[in-house]
Amino acid sequence: MDAADPVLEAGIGCTLNGSPELTVVTNGEESDATVVVVDLVDDKVLDVVHSIRNQPHRPEIVLLATELSPGEALHAIAAGAHGLLRRREASANRLSRAVLAAVVGDCTMPPDLIDRVLEQGMENQTPTAPQAWARGGLNEREHAVLRLVAEGYETDEIARRLSYSARTVTAVVHDITQRFRLRNRAHAVAYALRARLL
């Protein structure tokens, strides 16, 4: 966890300690995920996210911010954050789920923010979305899977929603990451949003 305010850091630590699936460690200890708590997402914060993500053990990042715009969300994902939450929406359950999702490589963000990010991306696309996806290199199945990944659903949930097997969902995500030479699911989502494929 990384927060400038020790009282805030203690509060987040207590919140996360309530989850039996998580163990909270102090600054300086290696962890699978780091929660970064900020007011605004600016260049300094993006540098912090990037530097934490590039530590030798490469912890996943969950960014907890007072406010998040669609542009800030995209920049945070591109810097390496895999979980994005607004502070006012960060219940113990939501925060724990975001950390657990980040550890397995899933990217989560508030649903309304996903919609706004996707709307921005769709503004410059043609009215016939399947043709736009095909030109962008995503077929309809890949687009459907990647959109649900972006919305924070896990593999089994995506499989149920789309009536695919979990193995098919995993294969689709793997194919996307290999084709575009991406590191993981979160990188695939960030790439697709920046390239306006979602």
Side-chain angles (χ1 to χ4, degrees), residues 137-182:
L138 293 180
N139 61 36
E140 289 183 55
R141 182 194 321 205
E142 291 169 333
H143 183 272
V145 168
L146 199 54
R147 181 179 173 116
L148 290 174
V149 169
E151 291 178 14
Y153 292 100
E154 295 185 28
T155 299
D156 290 340
E157 295 172 308
I158 295 170
R160 280 194 300 275
R161 284 177 161 261
L162 298 178
S163 300
Y164 297 150
S165 70
R167 187 175 182 166
T168 297
V169 172
T170 301
V172 167
V173 174
H174 177 75
D175 290 346
I176 293 168
T177 57
Q178 292 300 305
R179 185 177 338 130
F180 294 103
R181 296 187 176 138
L182 305 168

Side-chain angles (χ1 to χ4, degrees), residues 11-117:
I12 298 293
C14 268
T15 299
L16 291 173
N17 269 329
S19 172
E21 300 163 297
L22 297 173
T23 302
V24 177
V25 297
T26 59
N27 284 334
E29 295 182 59
E30 284 191 9
S31 63
D32 294 329
T34 298
V35 177
V36 178
V37 185
V38 299
D39 285 321
L40 302 172
V41 179
D42 56 15
D43 288 341
K44 182 179 175 185
V45 168
L46 295 174
D47 287 343
V48 168
V49 168
H50 185 71
S51 67
I52 292 172
R53 183 71 181 125
N54 285 324
Q55 291 173 359
H57 60 285
R58 296 189 58 76
E60 305 298 344
I61 308 291
V62 174
L63 184 62
L64 192 56
T66 302
E67 287 300 327
L68 281 167
S69 71
E72 290 166 344
L74 284 173
H75 289 302
I77 291 169
H82 284 186
L84 302 172
L85 285 171
R86 294 184 189 98
R87 288 168 65 169
R88 68 178 178 275
E89 298 167 346
S91 65
N93 184 45
R94 275 184 146 175
L95 182 55
S96 297
R97 281 183 24 221
V99 170
L100 291 168
V103 168
V104 297
D106 286 339
C107 185
T108 58
M109 70 173 75
D112 70 292
L113 188 58
I114 292 171
D115 291 340
R116 289 170 54 206
V117 167

